Amino acid sequence: MKEMLARTFVALFSGCVMIPAVSSQAAAQTDAPYIDDRSDPAALIRSLYSAINRHEYARAWDYFGETKPAADFESFAKGYEGTVSVDVETGGVLEEGAAGSIYYTLPVAIRAEQEDGSHKVFAGCYTLRQLSAQTQEPPFRPLHIEKGALEPSTSDFDKALPSSCEDGQMVPERDTLLEKARVVFAANYGDRCDAALTSGDEAQEPSAYTIRYSTKTDDAERQARLFRFLCMRGAYNETFAFFISDEDGGVRQLQFSEPDLDIHYANNDPEGELEAVNVIGYTVTDELVNADYDETSHMIVSHAKWRGVGDASSTATWLFRNGRFGLVQYDVDASYDGQINPETVLDYNSAP
């Protein structure tokens, strides 16, 4: 009984869990990424669990300051016997300066996998401390963990992260779907978009919208998140990429259908008389020009200028219904005549 209580204390203090003994074969198969980063509180906590997942307990022990999570290193390491893997989520950090130190309070949730395949979820907070780097003398003491306390949680892992820590202070809740959208956008558009607009001085925050809806076969209210990222900016056009969440908590990029046009001008001269605009098929695009989402009508509208004066252009409208965006209208002004006179070449948006 005493040994069990001792192990429980180690686990709650260090933010980890005890699970059944793991075989040397399971330990050898561990392929967790090596993370050793003290640049900020969240990075340090990720480094702690990287060490635990890799069974590098001396490295994990070293992330704590003078106040250690166990009486000695042997007890600390023994407390993790059987740990197969630990997933970690961190929340918004609170920062407070005091007498040559900066203290950080960080909400944390973890999911520990046991050898039998079951999982346990723990949640709580860590306190970290950074001594003033300017006033220190060797040996230098980097950012370290002062204390931590995680308790068993009955919530699912993706909902267990605390929104507040000590003294009831609220911390900003992480928008995990937006973070996922950022990752997908960077992976798909990292080399295609203007870096100054995505990560440089001109970078703009993506627009985020919440869409509540039901389907024809299910009256239950559902919710989707829509994200719009600026990609390129020209003299009179901007291009955007859109991403949407799915019911499984993932994020995917939106693809938009639009008509393939066959346009005829007198004498094949675009500056001449417009003779015909025919829809000959459909294409798909993943970037929209001058596009925005209207939360009232649940529509994405794109208006592409074919030249700066705007007398030639195309305007497309996609309506959100039954959980997806569908093309409902396409207007084209194909005449370079100095006049704004579009014609509708596709209309699924109006009653017959």
PDB file of all heavy atoms in Angstrom, residues 4 22 30 56 97 111 121 125 150 210 217 225 228 252 275 277-278 285 289 307 316 342:
ATOM      1  N   MET A   4       2.322   1.809  -3.388  1.00  0.00           N
ATOM      2  CA  MET A   4       1.332   2.318  -4.333  1.00  0.00           C
ATOM      3  C   MET A   4       1.113   3.810  -4.140  1.00  0.00           C
ATOM      4  O   MET A   4       1.049   4.582  -5.088  1.00  0.00           O
ATOM      5  CB  MET A   4       0.010   1.571  -4.170  1.00  0.00           C
ATOM      6  CG  MET A   4      -1.083   2.002  -5.166  1.00  0.00           C
ATOM      7  SD  MET A   4      -2.611   1.100  -4.923  1.00  0.00           S
ATOM      8  CE  MET A   4      -2.046  -0.559  -5.296  1.00  0.00           C
ATOM      9  N   VAL A  22       6.592  -2.638 -18.509  1.00  0.00           N
ATOM     10  CA  VAL A  22       6.727  -2.846 -19.934  1.00  0.00           C
ATOM     11  C   VAL A  22       7.916  -3.751 -20.186  1.00  0.00           C
ATOM     12  O   VAL A  22       8.919  -3.687 -19.492  1.00  0.00           O
ATOM     13  CB  VAL A  22       6.920  -1.495 -20.669  1.00  0.00           C
ATOM     14  CG1 VAL A  22       8.216  -0.841 -20.298  1.00  0.00           C
ATOM     15  CG2 VAL A  22       6.827  -1.685 -22.166  1.00  0.00           C
ATOM     16  N   THR A  30      10.186   1.530 -28.983  1.00  0.00           N
ATOM     17  CA  THR A  30       9.775   2.924 -28.866  1.00  0.00           C
ATOM     18  C   THR A  30      10.478   3.765 -29.920  1.00  0.00           C
ATOM     19  O   THR A  30      11.697   3.724 -30.042  1.00  0.00           O
ATOM     20  CB  THR A  30      10.104   3.474 -27.461  1.00  0.00           C
ATOM     21  OG1 THR A  30       9.372   2.716 -26.511  1.00  0.00           O
ATOM     22  CG2 THR A  30       9.714   4.934 -27.354  1.00  0.00           C
ATOM     23  N   GLU A  56      13.976   7.874 -21.471  1.00  0.00           N
ATOM     24  CA  GLU A  56      15.196   8.604 -21.105  1.00  0.00           C
ATOM     25  C   GLU A  56      14.919   9.360 -19.808  1.00  0.00           C
ATOM     26  O   GLU A  56      14.764  10.586 -19.792  1.00  0.00           O
ATOM     27  CB  GLU A  56      15.594   9.533 -22.251  1.00  0.00           C
ATOM     28  CG  GLU A  56      15.919   8.774 -23.531  1.00  0.00           C
ATOM     29  CD  GLU A  56      16.014   9.655 -24.764  1.00  0.00           C
ATOM     30  OE1 GLU A  56      15.725  10.866 -24.678  1.00  0.00           O
ATOM     31  OE2 GLU A  56      16.369   9.123 -25.833  1.00  0.00           O
ATOM     32  N   GLY A  97       6.153  37.886 -13.279  1.00  0.00           N
ATOM     33  CA  GLY A  97       7.511  38.144 -12.826  1.00  0.00           C
ATOM     34  C   GLY A  97       7.562  38.372 -11.328  1.00  0.00           C
ATOM     35  O   GLY A  97       6.651  38.945 -10.740  1.00  0.00           O
ATOM     36  N   ARG A 111      -2.644  11.728 -22.153  1.00  0.00           N
ATOM     37  CA  ARG A 111      -3.301  10.440 -22.326  1.00  0.00           C
ATOM     38  C   ARG A 111      -2.211   9.375 -22.329  1.00  0.00           C
ATOM     39  O   ARG A 111      -1.324   9.386 -23.190  1.00  0.00           O
ATOM     40  CB  ARG A 111      -4.078  10.405 -23.637  1.00  0.00           C
ATOM     41  CG  ARG A 111      -4.707   9.050 -23.945  1.00  0.00           C
ATOM     42  CD  ARG A 111      -5.543   9.108 -25.205  1.00  0.00           C
ATOM     43  NE  ARG A 111      -4.764   9.574 -26.347  1.00  0.00           N
ATOM     44  CZ  ARG A 111      -5.293  10.010 -27.483  1.00  0.00           C
ATOM     45  NH1 ARG A 111      -6.602  10.051 -27.618  1.00  0.00           N
ATOM     46  NH2 ARG A 111      -4.529  10.418 -28.483  1.00  0.00           N
ATOM     47  N   VAL A 121      -6.581   9.207 -18.852  1.00  0.00           N
ATOM     48  CA  VAL A 121      -6.429  10.639 -19.113  1.00  0.00           C
ATOM     49  C   VAL A 121      -6.216  11.364 -17.796  1.00  0.00           C
ATOM     50  O   VAL A 121      -6.939  11.117 -16.814  1.00  0.00           O
ATOM     51  CB  VAL A 121      -7.664  11.208 -19.842  1.00  0.00           C
ATOM     52  CG1 VAL A 121      -7.531  12.715 -20.030  1.00  0.00           C
ATOM     53  CG2 VAL A 121      -7.849  10.513 -21.186  1.00  0.00           C
ATOM     54  N   CYS A 125      -2.043  21.234 -14.011  1.00  0.00           N
ATOM     55  CA  CYS A 125      -1.209  22.385 -14.348  1.00  0.00           C
ATOM     56  C   CYS A 125       0.238  22.157 -13.926  1.00  0.00           C
ATOM     57  O   CYS A 125       0.512  21.462 -12.948  1.00  0.00           O
ATOM     58  CB  CYS A 125      -1.737  23.650 -13.668  1.00  0.00           C
ATOM     59  SG  CYS A 125      -3.339  24.207 -14.302  1.00  0.00           S
ATOM     60  N   LEU A 150      -1.141  16.662 -11.791  1.00  0.00           N
ATOM     61  CA  LEU A 150      -2.175  16.181 -12.701  1.00  0.00           C
ATOM     62  C   LEU A 150      -3.044  15.169 -11.976  1.00  0.00           C
ATOM     63  O   LEU A 150      -2.544  14.353 -11.202  1.00  0.00           O
ATOM     64  CB  LEU A 150      -1.557  15.530 -13.930  1.00  0.00           C
ATOM     65  CG  LEU A 150      -0.587  16.355 -14.772  1.00  0.00           C
ATOM     66  CD1 LEU A 150      -0.236  15.609 -16.044  1.00  0.00           C
ATOM     67  CD2 LEU A 150      -1.165  17.729 -15.104  1.00  0.00           C
ATOM     68  N   THR A 210     -17.815  29.881 -37.614  1.00  0.00           N
ATOM     69  CA  THR A 210     -18.513  28.702 -37.103  1.00  0.00           C
ATOM     70  C   THR A 210     -19.833  28.556 -37.835  1.00  0.00           C
ATOM     71  O   THR A 210     -20.626  29.501 -37.900  1.00  0.00           O
ATOM     72  CB  THR A 210     -18.760  28.824 -35.584  1.00  0.00           C
ATOM     73  OG1 THR A 210     -17.504  28.905 -34.905  1.00  0.00           O
ATOM     74  CG2 THR A 210     -19.520  27.610 -35.071  1.00  0.00           C
ATOM     75  N   THR A 217     -31.358  14.396 -43.677  1.00  0.00           N
ATOM     76  CA  THR A 217     -31.686  13.105 -43.065  1.00  0.00           C
ATOM     77  C   THR A 217     -31.547  13.119 -41.549  1.00  0.00           C
ATOM     78  O   THR A 217     -31.876  12.129 -40.896  1.00  0.00           O
ATOM     79  CB  THR A 217     -30.766  12.015 -43.635  1.00  0.00           C
ATOM     80  OG1 THR A 217     -29.395  12.378 -43.398  1.00  0.00           O
ATOM     81  CG2 THR A 217     -30.987  11.869 -45.138  1.00  0.00           C
ATOM     82  N   ARG A 225     -16.296  24.273 -38.664  1.00  0.00           N
ATOM     83  CA  ARG A 225     -15.464  25.476 -38.624  1.00  0.00           C
ATOM     84  C   ARG A 225     -14.872  25.697 -40.015  1.00  0.00           C
ATOM     85  O   ARG A 225     -14.364  24.761 -40.640  1.00  0.00           O
ATOM     86  CB  ARG A 225     -14.327  25.317 -37.616  1.00  0.00           C
ATOM     87  CG  ARG A 225     -14.778  25.159 -36.173  1.00  0.00           C
ATOM     88  CD  ARG A 225     -15.334  26.447 -35.580  1.00  0.00           C
ATOM     89  NE  ARG A 225     -14.402  27.558 -35.672  1.00  0.00           N
ATOM     90  CZ  ARG A 225     -13.296  27.698 -34.933  1.00  0.00           C
ATOM     91  NH1 ARG A 225     -12.976  26.769 -34.036  1.00  0.00           N
ATOM     92  NH2 ARG A 225     -12.512  28.745 -35.059  1.00  0.00           N
ATOM     93  N   ARG A 228     -10.311  30.735 -43.673  1.00  0.00           N
ATOM     94  CA  ARG A 228      -9.889  31.345 -44.935  1.00  0.00           C
ATOM     95  C   ARG A 228      -8.480  31.906 -44.780  1.00  0.00           C
ATOM     96  O   ARG A 228      -8.213  32.723 -43.887  1.00  0.00           O
ATOM     97  CB  ARG A 228     -10.853  32.463 -45.332  1.00  0.00           C
ATOM     98  CG  ARG A 228     -10.546  33.094 -46.680  1.00  0.00           C
ATOM     99  CD  ARG A 228     -11.383  34.332 -46.911  1.00  0.00           C
ATOM    100  NE  ARG A 228     -10.935  35.440 -46.065  1.00  0.00           N
ATOM    101  CZ  ARG A 228     -11.068  36.731 -46.369  1.00  0.00           C
ATOM    102  NH1 ARG A 228     -11.644  37.082 -47.499  1.00  0.00           N
ATOM    103  NH2 ARG A 228     -10.660  37.665 -45.538  1.00  0.00           N
ATOM    104  N   ARG A 252      -9.826  19.586 -43.455  1.00  0.00           N
ATOM    105  CA  ARG A 252      -9.501  19.292 -44.841  1.00  0.00           C
ATOM    106  C   ARG A 252      -9.647  20.547 -45.687  1.00  0.00           C
ATOM    107  O   ARG A 252     -10.401  21.468 -45.343  1.00  0.00           O
ATOM    108  CB  ARG A 252     -10.416  18.189 -45.384  1.00  0.00           C
ATOM    109  CG  ARG A 252     -11.896  18.532 -45.336  1.00  0.00           C
ATOM    110  CD  ARG A 252     -12.765  17.393 -45.841  1.00  0.00           C
ATOM    111  NE  ARG A 252     -14.181  17.669 -45.654  1.00  0.00           N
ATOM    112  CZ  ARG A 252     -14.926  18.384 -46.480  1.00  0.00           C
ATOM    113  NH1 ARG A 252     -14.375  18.896 -47.581  1.00  0.00           N
ATOM    114  NH2 ARG A 252     -16.217  18.586 -46.242  1.00  0.00           N
ATOM    115  N   GLU A 275     -19.690  37.356 -78.739  1.00  0.00           N
ATOM    116  CA  GLU A 275     -20.692  36.609 -79.467  1.00  0.00           C
ATOM    117  C   GLU A 275     -21.389  35.551 -78.622  1.00  0.00           C
ATOM    118  O   GLU A 275     -22.602  35.366 -78.722  1.00  0.00           O
ATOM    119  CB  GLU A 275     -20.044  35.936 -80.697  1.00  0.00           C
ATOM    120  CG  GLU A 275     -19.545  36.931 -81.735  1.00  0.00           C
ATOM    121  CD  GLU A 275     -18.955  36.252 -82.942  1.00  0.00           C
ATOM    122  OE1 GLU A 275     -18.521  35.075 -82.807  1.00  0.00           O
ATOM    123  OE2 GLU A 275     -18.922  36.864 -84.026  1.00  0.00           O
ATOM    124  N   VAL A 277     -21.046  32.948 -74.749  1.00  0.00           N
ATOM    125  CA  VAL A 277     -20.373  32.371 -73.591  1.00  0.00           C
ATOM    126  C   VAL A 277     -21.053  31.041 -73.306  1.00  0.00           C
ATOM    127  O   VAL A 277     -22.227  31.003 -72.915  1.00  0.00           O
ATOM    128  CB  VAL A 277     -20.454  33.283 -72.343  1.00  0.00           C
ATOM    129  CG1 VAL A 277     -19.781  32.612 -71.151  1.00  0.00           C
ATOM    130  CG2 VAL A 277     -19.810  34.635 -72.619  1.00  0.00           C
ATOM    131  N   ASN A 278     -20.361  29.945 -73.535  1.00  0.00           N
ATOM    132  CA  ASN A 278     -20.939  28.617 -73.388  1.00  0.00           C
ATOM    133  C   ASN A 278     -20.256  27.839 -72.265  1.00  0.00           C
ATOM    134  O   ASN A 278     -19.027  27.900 -72.120  1.00  0.00           O
ATOM    135  CB  ASN A 278     -20.794  27.826 -74.692  1.00  0.00           C
ATOM    136  CG  ASN A 278     -21.488  28.502 -75.855  1.00  0.00           C
ATOM    137  OD1 ASN A 278     -22.623  28.973 -75.721  1.00  0.00           O
ATOM    138  ND2 ASN A 278     -20.813  28.562 -76.995  1.00  0.00           N
ATOM    139  N   THR A 285     -11.101  23.908 -58.572  1.00  0.00           N
ATOM    140  CA  THR A 285     -10.000  24.757 -58.138  1.00  0.00           C
ATOM    141  C   THR A 285      -9.883  24.729 -56.621  1.00  0.00           C
ATOM    142  O   THR A 285     -10.887  24.505 -55.920  1.00  0.00           O
ATOM    143  CB  THR A 285     -10.196  26.214 -58.621  1.00  0.00           C
ATOM    144  OG1 THR A 285      -9.071  27.004 -58.225  1.00  0.00           O
ATOM    145  CG2 THR A 285     -11.463  26.820 -58.010  1.00  0.00           C
ATOM    146  N   VAL A 289     -10.534  33.720 -55.903  1.00  0.00           N
ATOM    147  CA  VAL A 289     -10.068  35.093 -56.057  1.00  0.00           C
ATOM    148  C   VAL A 289     -11.048  36.054 -55.398  1.00  0.00           C
ATOM    149  O   VAL A 289     -12.265  35.954 -55.600  1.00  0.00           O
ATOM    150  CB  VAL A 289      -9.901  35.439 -57.552  1.00  0.00           C
ATOM    151  CG1 VAL A 289      -9.373  36.868 -57.715  1.00  0.00           C
ATOM    152  CG2 VAL A 289      -8.961  34.443 -58.223  1.00  0.00           C
ATOM    153  N   ARG A 307      -9.299  42.243 -65.521  1.00  0.00           N
ATOM    154  CA  ARG A 307      -8.330  43.334 -65.644  1.00  0.00           C
ATOM    155  C   ARG A 307      -8.705  44.409 -64.635  1.00  0.00           C
ATOM    156  O   ARG A 307      -9.797  44.393 -64.060  1.00  0.00           O
ATOM    157  CB  ARG A 307      -8.250  43.875 -67.070  1.00  0.00           C
ATOM    158  CG  ARG A 307      -9.492  44.588 -67.589  1.00  0.00           C
ATOM    159  CD  ARG A 307      -9.231  45.111 -68.992  1.00  0.00           C
ATOM    160  NE  ARG A 307     -10.371  45.837 -69.546  1.00  0.00           N
ATOM    161  CZ  ARG A 307     -10.358  46.393 -70.752  1.00  0.00           C
ATOM    162  NH1 ARG A 307      -9.278  46.296 -71.520  1.00  0.00           N
ATOM    163  NH2 ARG A 307     -11.430  47.031 -71.202  1.00  0.00           N
ATOM    164  N   ALA A 316     -18.555  33.829 -58.759  1.00  0.00           N
ATOM    165  CA  ALA A 316     -19.088  32.501 -58.444  1.00  0.00           C
ATOM    166  C   ALA A 316     -19.622  32.495 -57.024  1.00  0.00           C
ATOM    167  O   ALA A 316     -19.072  33.151 -56.125  1.00  0.00           O
ATOM    168  CB  ALA A 316     -18.007  31.436 -58.612  1.00  0.00           C
ATOM    169  N   PRO A 342     -22.522  41.920 -66.383  1.00  0.00           N
ATOM    170  CA  PRO A 342     -22.402  40.454 -66.343  1.00  0.00           C
ATOM    171  C   PRO A 342     -23.686  39.758 -66.761  1.00  0.00           C
ATOM    172  O   PRO A 342     -24.777  40.320 -66.673  1.00  0.00           O
ATOM    173  CB  PRO A 342     -22.090  40.177 -64.869  1.00  0.00           C
ATOM    174  CG  PRO A 342     -22.737  41.302 -64.137  1.00  0.00           C
ATOM    175  CD  PRO A 342     -22.587  42.510 -65.035  1.00  0.00           C
TER     176      PRO A 342
END
